[in-house]
Amino acid sequence: MQPAAGDEALENHLGGDEAKNYRQYELDMVAPHVGRSMLEIGSGLGHFAEAFLPRLDRLVVSDFDPYCVEQLKKRFTGRDDIDVLQFGLPTDIPIGEKVDTVVMMNVLEHIEEDVEALRSLAKVTAPGGRIVIWVPGYMQLYGDFDRKVGHVTRYTPATLRSTVSKAGLDIDVLKPINFLGGIAWWAAVRRGGVGYPDPRLVKIYDRTVVPTTRFIERFIRPPFGQTVFCVARVPR
């Protein structure tokens, strides 16, 4: 079962205002795969989903944590085109009309029943629609931070491919990204034994490592990365 947010809420879009380049990196990676209706899983306070509003006809935000759901209702009050739901995966999602896109940023790694979670999402996604998955990469980077925020695992392209395929989904995109971030993460958090990223280091990382990584990854496909990015598709 998907856990309540707690400390986990702190990891989504890590760094907040101190990591503007990283947040833009997330948006630029996800945006090309978003259609006209979107369900976000683990929306937190709604900052990420809100960025997609200009392109959407319909938005559904969701979280398992009661505090986050309350804040989402306040943030989007009066919007007839936005629904706020509370649930944890896997479950029968209480949604009416299916969406053409599901986005889950740093959520799947918290769920032991990850295949069933994806099956739950496939049921509310229109045939041919996409499920965009952003998860932490590689168990070699697993450390105290992962334990503190409730990570069941970190994925590789191979393990995520297996999970997605078992859920009956096709794959459009599957690759590791942010390889310099993976090296920095290993040095600071895994090798260095830091229990939680230092905000000062996050700011330096955001200003230097993220732009450099983005530039390099325009020309090469990295062999590994801090993150594994996947766009799965519901069969028609």
Side-chain angles (χ1 to χ4, degrees), residues 127-190:
R130 300 179 180 97
I131 300 176
V132 182
I133 305 165
W134 182 290
V135 289
Y138 298 87
M139 286 300 290
Q140 293 91 330
L141 302 181
Y142 194 99
D144 287 342
F145 172 81
D146 296 274
R147 283 184 284 272
K148 286 180 180 179
V149 299
H151 287 176
V152 175
T153 189
R154 296 179 73 99
Y155 289 88
T156 66
T159 59
L160 188 55
R161 178 183 295 277
S162 175
T163 297
V164 169
S165 297
K166 287 177 182 177
L169 301 171
D170 299 327
I171 295 174
D172 285 355
V173 179
L174 177 61
K175 60 183 179 180
I177 59 173
N178 194 12
F179 79 105
L180 290 183
I183 296 171
W185 186 269
W186 180 83
V189 178
R190 184 70 175 90

Side-chain angles (χ1 to χ4, degrees), residues 105-228:
M105 307 291 290
N106 295 321
V107 174
L108 193 64
E109 68 274 13
H110 294 279
I111 306 172
E112 291 188 17
E113 301 163 289
D114 53 359
V115 173
E116 290 303 318
L118 291 178
R119 287 174 178 161
S120 295
L121 296 175
K123 291 178 182 178
V124 298
T125 307
R130 300 179 180 97
I131 300 176
V132 182
I133 305 165
W134 182 290
V135 289
Y138 298 87
M139 286 300 290
Q140 293 91 330
L141 302 181
Y142 194 99
D144 287 342
F145 172 81
D146 296 274
R147 283 184 284 272
K148 286 180 180 179
V149 299
H151 287 176
V152 175
T153 189
R154 296 179 73 99
Y155 289 88
T156 66
T159 59
L160 188 55
R161 178 183 295 277
S162 175
T163 297
V164 169
S165 297
K166 287 177 182 177
L169 301 171
D170 299 327
I171 295 174
D172 285 355
V173 179
L174 177 61
K175 60 183 179 180
I177 59 173
N178 194 12
F179 79 105
L180 290 183
I183 296 171
W185 186 269
W186 180 83
V189 178
R190 184 70 175 90
R191 183 71 174 178
V194 177
Y196 200 85
D198 187 324
R200 294 170 297 178
L201 294 178
V202 169
K203 183 181 292 188
I204 295 172
Y205 161 83
D206 189 64
R207 291 179 177 177
T208 58
V209 176
V210 173
T212 303
T213 294
R214 295 196 64 176
F215 177 77
I216 294 173
E217 289 182 0
R218 288 169 53 192
F219 304 101
I220 66 168
R221 182 187 178 104
F224 66 96
Q226 184 182 7
T227 297
V228 178

